[in-house]
Amino acid sequence: MPSPTPQADVRAALAAQLGADRVITDADELLFYSQDVYGAGAVPTALVRPCTVEDIQAIVRIGAAAGYPLIARGGGLSYTDGYLARQPCILLDLSALNQIVEINRADRYVVLEAGVNWATLDAALAPLGLRTPYWGPLSGLFSTVGGALSQGSVFLGSGLHGSVGDSVLGIEVVIANGDLLRTGSAAAGNTPAFMRYFGPDLTGLFIGDAGALGLKVRTTLRLIPRPQALGFLSFEFADSAPMLEAMAEISRQHLASECFAFDPYLAEVRMKRASLFADAKVLANVVKQSGLLAGAKMVVAGRRFLQANCYSAHVIIEADCEAALAPRMKNARTILSIAGTETDNSIPKALRSTPFTVPNNMLGPDGERWVPVHGIVPHSKAASAFNACQNLFVAHHQKMQDHGIKTGFLLSTISQQATLIEPVFFWPDSHTAYHKRMVEAGYLEKIGEPADNPGARAVVDELKHAVADTLRALGATHFQLGKFYAYRQGRDAASLALFDAIKHHLDPDHLMNPGVLK
């Protein structure tokens, strides 16, 4: 890596290229952009807001000539240090690179820029009766398509259609010398971006790379017809093992668009957060989607329809019509009924009525800090992975109790093969500049702010790594690798050699988000 030129000089070069208004050097702004949901990194030398692909190419060339690392930031919802720097850098805020370039109804694809968030994309497609197969994380009000491609992402649509990468046809990437690289059929002469495969699949290299191989600027995603009928089921279980087996069978039979579950503590936290059933907008959306009767049932159910100390599984089923929906619902209900008891389905109805919400959930109902860690395992290992995490928490019970640390679990299925196990930590601690800007002011006022708690923070960090190590030892994979999850450890030597050769070819000076994929 070349020796960096003086900070003032690189800022001046960026301002001359982009205009001074798009080069941010204010100390408070740079502090905010040096943080994510969980941590903080080095304060960027400059924050730039490119509006075009050509802007990004120019920024990359300036940064490379000046010897500064280049890191892209999308919606900013990382909690694994994905865009946090370890040294002075140029941070690219891609929120202004937000155009939907083409919606091709005839050939069923959409071309869009990397800064488009998932909520905006879905709103543009809905009037056309179309959707991407995977259509976003719950943080999609801010989370961007480019960020999901870099970090990996699952949830909405994942039960049927897998992760974000399974919906991608091609990607356009600015590499470290400023050139634009295209993957998929669009890389061939006189060919639109309608197919992922034309020879070796280069697209996959840039999915989940955490920005190590270049800056994603555009992508092409598949489109499918929007479902015309929706069904919702919620079941309670006394124990996690039969619930996980029921979820796995629903997944194997390819029944649910979303199949997810909470342990008793996380269910309690969701109820305490109050917004789910108290929010008039959510209620109005449920009425709009499912009718007045569904809205009335939600009001009657209130927040206390789940039994204490029960696990709860929630299923959303899609179909082309009501007639096609009925047998799928019957099948799913039969599977869940083997060990579970049906309860009010307000949670999945509310989620689908308002899938993208403000990220107030990054703080607990009493102002606690929040951070998840996860692993993805085949269905056959889900129960053992869940139990391994539980056993870890039992072993550290006294330490956790001393510091007020509590844990919950989110569980969900991915396509027909996998279960995501996601322990979530809550602990009393002060809020960062990031929290104070991203969480709604009214919610912040309601929950209050605990005192600074570095001791608890240190224990959470220790436990986060312990959970990741425990899951990895069981053969789990991970999304959102960032600078937290281990990528290289134990990996096949030939695979690493190929990756390293590609990295050296595309980024010989290691200026693209150094520190990721460790």
Side-chain angles (χ1 to χ4, degrees):
M1 184 184 295
S3 299
T5 59
Q7 173 179 283
D9 292 350
V10 75
R11 286 178 170 180
L14 291 167
Q17 176 67 43
L18 301 174
D21 60 324
R22 290 199 278 138
V23 180
I24 313 302
T25 58
D26 175 78
D28 288 340
E29 283 296 289
L30 293 182
L31 176 64
F32 169 75
Y33 281 94
S34 71
Q35 301 176 351
D36 70 3
V37 176
Y38 177 69
V43 174
T45 297
L47 170 73
V48 293
R49 293 199 171 107
C51 295
T52 67
V53 173
E54 292 73 23
D55 283 345
I56 293 175
Q57 291 179 282
I59 292 164
V60 168
R61 290 179 177 124
I62 290 168
Y68 278 82
L70 297 133
I71 303 176
R73 183 187 190 274
L77 275 296
S78 168
Y79 46 80
T80 55
D81 299 357
Y83 58 83
L84 301 189
R86 298 289 186 256
Q87 63 206 84
C89 73
I90 298 170
L91 184 65
L92 292 87
D93 173 10
L94 298 189
S95 59
L97 193 75
N98 59 7
Q99 299 302 303
I100 297 174
V101 179
E102 178 189 4
I103 299 174
N104 191 316
R105 300 171 70 178
D107 299 323
R108 286 294 195 260
Y109 65 79
V110 56
V111 182
L112 62 157
E113 293 178 334
V116 175
N117 65 52
W118 289 97
T120 298
L121 174 61
D122 192 59
L125 295 174
L128 306 177
L130 298 172
R131 199 190 73 196
T132 55
Y134 170 77
W135 52 289
L138 297 180
S139 58
L141 199 61
F142 293 98
S143 293
T144 63
V145 172
L149 293 177
S150 285
Q151 298 298 337
S153 182
V154 291
F155 202 80
L156 295 168
S158 288
L160 294 178
H161 304 290
S163 69
V164 62
D166 297 312
S167 296
V168 179
L169 294 174
I171 302 175
E172 296 181 36
V173 184
V174 174
I175 58 176
N177 66 359
D179 288 350
L180 185 66
L181 181 154
R182 295 181 176 89
T183 75
S185 60
N190 195 34
T191 309
F194 75 109
M195 280 285 289
R196 176 161 170 167
Y197 303 104
F198 187 1
D201 177 28
L202 301 184
T203 300
L205 290 172
F206 298 95
I207 298 171
D209 74 325
L213 300 179
L215 301 173
K216 294 165 192 64
V217 292
R218 292 194 196 101
T219 188
T220 303
L221 303 178
R222 293 192 295 119
L223 293 176
I224 60 174
R226 214 169 183 85
Q228 299 302 302
L230 294 174
F232 307 92
L233 294 170
S234 293
F235 275 72
E236 295 176 339
F237 293 81
D239 187 41
S240 60
M243 181 183 73
L244 285 165
E245 177 52 35
M247 293 172 67
E249 186 59 25
I250 285 172
S251 173
R252 285 189 287 262
Q253 294 196 27
H254 215 48
L255 292 173
S257 178
E258 293 89 36
C259 179
F260 60 98
F262 306 123
D263 78 315
Y265 180 72
L266 195 56
E268 178 187 341
V269 167
R270 288 186 64 87
M271 297 304 171
K272 287 175 68 176
R273 278 199 179 109
S275 62
L276 191 59
F277 299 108
D279 191 323
K281 181 180 178 182
V282 172
L283 181 59
N285 286 343
V286 169
V287 171
K288 181 179 178 181
Q289 177 179 273
S290 302
L292 283 171
L293 180 59
K297 287 181 177 178
M298 178 176 286
V299 171
V300 171
R303 300 181 200 157
R304 283 295 159 201
F305 57 85
L306 293 179
Q307 298 297 314
N309 300 317
C310 276
Y311 293 84
S312 60
H314 310 279
V315 172
I316 301 171
I317 296 179
E318 300 175 344
D320 295 334
C321 61
E322 293 293 336
L325 179 67
R328 298 174 70 84
M329 288 284 288
K330 181 180 179 181
N331 197 0
R333 182 176 275 115
T334 299
I335 293 167
L336 292 162
S337 296
I338 293 171
T341 302
E342 190 162 6
T343 187
D344 183 86
N345 58 8
S346 295
I347 284 178
K349 279 184 178 176
L351 184 146
R352 260 310 184 91
S353 73
T354 314
F356 306 116
T357 58
V358 292
N360 290 342
N361 64 348
M362 66 178 66
L363 293 173
D366 296 310
E368 313 100 309
R369 292 276 299 274
W370 163 94
V371 69
V373 61
H374 76 271
I376 300 159
V377 296
H379 294 316
S380 59
K381 290 188 175 182
S384 58
F386 180 86
N387 291 336
C389 293
Q390 290 278 47
N391 292 337
L392 177 67
F393 298 149
V394 169
H396 291 273
H397 171 74
Q398 190 59 54
K399 185 189 300 184
M400 294 169 67
Q401 188 174 52
D402 291 345
H403 290 280
I405 300 167
K406 297 182 179 180
T407 57
F409 283 84
L410 170 66
L411 311 163
S412 64
T413 62
I414 304 172
S415 193
Q416 292 176 276
Q417 289 77 36
T419 301
L420 179 141
I421 310 289
E422 184 170 270
V424 178
F425 294 94
F426 297 87
W427 74 101
D429 203 352
S430 57
H431 303 162
T432 66
Y434 179 93
H435 295 117
K436 291 173 182 177
R437 183 179 299 191
M438 295 296 291
V439 176
E440 287 182 307
Y443 186 72
L444 286 171
E445 184 178 353
K446 185 182 298 184
I447 63 177
E449 181 178 3
D452 194 51
N453 198 345
R457 205 178 309 146
V459 174
V460 169
D461 199 66
E462 174 192 340
L463 291 171
K464 273 184 63 193
H465 283 88
V467 169
D469 291 343
T470 297
L471 291 170
R472 186 69 202 94
L474 292 170
T477 63
H478 306 282
F479 291 124
Q480 301 171 44
L481 299 182
K483 302 176 182 79
F484 173 72
Y485 292 106
Y487 172 74
R488 303 180 69 87
Q489 181 179 345
R491 189 169 288 267
D492 178 81
S495 173
L496 270 184
L498 177 60
F499 174 81
D500 288 344
I502 294 168
K503 169 70 171 174
H504 181 75
H505 175 77
L506 296 175
D507 182 22
D509 293 322
H510 287 241
L511 292 173
M512 290 293 175
N513 204 1
V516 295
L517 302 188
K518 62 183 182 181

